[in-house]
Amino acid sequence: MRISVDLTLSPLSNAYEEHVIDFIKALRASNFTVLENPLSTQIFGEFDQLMPFLNEKIKDSFLNQDICVLTMKVVKTDRSDYEPNF
């Protein structure tokens, strides 16, 4: 089953940019499709491969920060090719 995951990482520290950049770079280094915009990062793939990957990368990110919020939305379809039709 293919899924789309929307992620927003919000470290609660003054040096938040470094943590966000490191997290995005870790996602980019995968074999999954990754799309970014100014508010969030989306990643797309097979559920059984993507979720364990995200679990590892989220844990790595959390271990490198004192306090952090991660907002995640999961959609049961691959929306990587979405283009507005209006």
Side-chain angles (χ1 to χ4, degrees):
M1 155 181 48
R2 300 216 27 107
I3 61 170
S4 303
V5 182
D6 182 85
L7 301 160
T8 303
L9 183 69
S10 304
L12 303 180
S13 70
N14 290 333
Y16 68 91
E17 286 184 19
E18 175 187 343
H19 296 294
V20 172
I21 290 168
D22 289 345
F23 183 67
I24 292 171
K25 284 182 177 180
L27 299 180
R28 283 181 186 166
S30 73
N31 291 323
F32 299 105
T33 300
V34 177
L35 301 175
E36 303 160 28
N37 66 55
L39 300 177
S40 65
T41 302
Q42 293 84 41
I43 188 165
F44 309 88
E46 287 293 327
F47 182 91
D48 290 336
Q49 288 80 43
L50 184 52
M51 294 308 287
F53 169 79
L54 287 175
N55 187 54
E56 177 185 331
K57 297 307 171 188
I58 292 167
K59 183 176 181 179
D60 290 347
S61 181
F62 280 9
L63 289 172
N64 292 320
Q65 301 171 63
D66 291 329
I67 302 173
C68 186
V69 175
L70 177 85
T71 304
M72 179 168 63
K73 294 182 269 185
V74 180
V75 180
K76 186 186 161 192
T77 187
D78 186 331
R79 304 289 292 165
S80 62
D81 60 353
Y82 171 77
E83 292 187 31
N85 59 2
F86 54 89

